[in-house]
């Protein structure tokens, strides 16, 4: 009788085994809740420690497609928000020529320094960095011919305010390109259309599937 009782407490079917199963289930549920909370609420900028991932090409959000939607021209002044390690900056800046200029804005100085080093290695000298939060851009109204953000808008805590700032610094007939990829921060096309309108912009065209698209926006009334 004592041995049977002992086995009931110790074995996988005993009370002890049951308690362990409950404890594991609780820990699992707690971990899942923590991951879900982080997934939906974390607004930290993309970590510099994982920068190598930013240099991997994203399907549909290719540089070739960016060229087709942005249409950068020599002599233009263009603004990029959230350049990360410079995948797009180092591609766009040379297209602007010596009389053009690419301003890049990022909240993380490590990212801007990284782009600066890579630009120097390639002899690109028309990139001007600004370590600033995109919610408040340090530029005068009507400063830019065009602006773009690739996998950055969804990461910025207040995208409507950012779009309104972009609208302010764009010339009246300026163009804005937003590239968004299916990750936890993604802004879907339908959401972008609504946010843009609040900011005085309209989505003129969408390129690519909804999970990896570029949108071209124009100031309302342009
Ligand atoms: C996912 S990375 C995208 C990098 C690059 N555009 C690319 O596609 O490889 C997002 C970038 O946005 C920047 N960022 C996040 N929040 C920001 C904010 N509030 N203002 C300015 N930049 C921000 C991050 O520091 C990071 O460099």
């Amino acid at each position: 009788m004592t041995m049977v009782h002992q086995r009931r407490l110790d074995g996988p079917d005993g009370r002890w085994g049951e308690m362990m199963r409950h404890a594991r289930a609780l820990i699992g549920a707690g971990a899942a809740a923590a991951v879900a909370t982080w997934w939906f609420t974390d607004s930290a900028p993309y970590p510099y420690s994982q920068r190598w991932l930013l240099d991997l090409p994203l399907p549909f959000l290719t540089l070739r497609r960016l060229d087709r939607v942005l249409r950068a021209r020599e002599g233009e002044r263009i603004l990029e928000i959230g350049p990360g390690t410079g995948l797009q900056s180092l591609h766009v800046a040379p297209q602007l020529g010596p009389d053009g200029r690419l301003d890049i804005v990022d909240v993380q100085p490590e990212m801007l320094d990284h782009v600066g080093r890579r630009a120097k290695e390639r002899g690109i000298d028309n990139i001007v960095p600004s370590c600033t939060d995109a919610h408040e851009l340090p530029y005068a109204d009507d400063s830019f011919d065009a602006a773009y953000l690739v996998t950055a808008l969804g990461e910025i805590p207040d995208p409507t305010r950012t779009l309104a700032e972009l609208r302010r610094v764009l010339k009246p007939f300026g163009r804005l390109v937003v590239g968004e990829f299916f990750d936890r921060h993604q802004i879907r096309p339908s959401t972008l259309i609504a946010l843009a309108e609040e900011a005085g912009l309209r989505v003129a065209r969408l390129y690519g599937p909804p999970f990896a698209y570029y949108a071209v926006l124009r100031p309302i009334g342009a």
Side-chain angles (χ1 to χ4, degrees):
M1 188 67 183
T2 319
M3 273 178 64
V4 171
H5 182 71
Q6 188 72 20
R7 225 180 301 142
R8 274 196 192 143
L9 269 179
D10 293 345
D13 298 329
R15 224 177 301 154
W16 180 245
E18 199 177 330
M19 269 168 56
M20 288 302 287
R21 271 197 301 281
H22 281 307
R24 272 199 297 267
L26 268 174
I27 291 168
V35 169
T37 307
W38 167 79
W39 179 273
F40 288 111
T41 62
D42 175 63
S43 61
Y46 187 92
Y48 183 67
S49 58
Q50 287 170 33
R51 60 192 174 278
W52 59 275
L53 272 174
L54 295 177
D55 289 328
L56 302 178
L58 290 175
F60 298 101
L61 293 188
T62 60
L63 294 175
R64 241 176 96 189
R65 185 166 275 183
L66 178 64
D67 287 345
R68 260 187 275 144
V69 295
L70 182 64
R71 295 178 181 275
R73 287 185 287 268
E74 273 204 39
E76 284 192 324
R77 185 176 180 197
I78 293 188
L79 170 64
E80 175 178 7
I81 308 282
T85 53
L87 179 67
Q88 293 87 16
S89 334
L90 300 169
H91 179 75
V92 170
Q95 299 176 33
L96 306 177
D99 297 330
R101 150 175 173 178
L102 179 70
D103 288 80
I104 58 172
V105 162
D106 207 295
V107 267
Q108 299 190 80
E110 300 91 332
M111 296 292 193
L112 295 170
D113 291 347
H114 193 102
V115 182
R117 278 195 302 276
R118 290 178 83 189
K120 202 170 169 194
E121 280 163 20
R122 295 175 190 205
I124 300 171
D125 61 2
N126 62 351
I127 298 182
V128 182
S130 175
C131 191
T132 314
D133 192 308
H135 296 118
E136 233 162 283
L137 296 172
Y139 307 108
D141 298 1
D142 306 342
S143 295
F144 294 94
D145 298 290
Y148 66 93
L149 326 77
V150 182
T151 65
L153 186 63
E155 197 177 297
I156 298 173
D158 190 341
T160 312
R161 189 166 153 199
T162 302
L163 288 170
E165 271 296 86
L166 283 161
R167 164 75 187 84
R168 181 183 67 75
V169 301
L170 269 183
K171 291 181 180 171
F173 287 93
R175 54 208 194 273
L176 170 64
V177 171
V178 173
E180 282 286 295
F181 186 71
F182 177 72
D183 59 16
R184 68 196 175 91
H185 294 296
Q186 197 209 19
I187 294 181
R188 294 186 187 169
S190 54
T191 309
L192 181 67
I193 290 168
L195 297 181
E197 215 171 292
E198 274 183 63
L201 294 158
R202 66 182 167 87
V203 174
R205 279 199 81 166
L206 288 163
Y207 299 81
F211 63 87
Y213 69 91
Y214 280 120
V216 179
L217 294 84
R218 300 266 182 191
I220 288 175

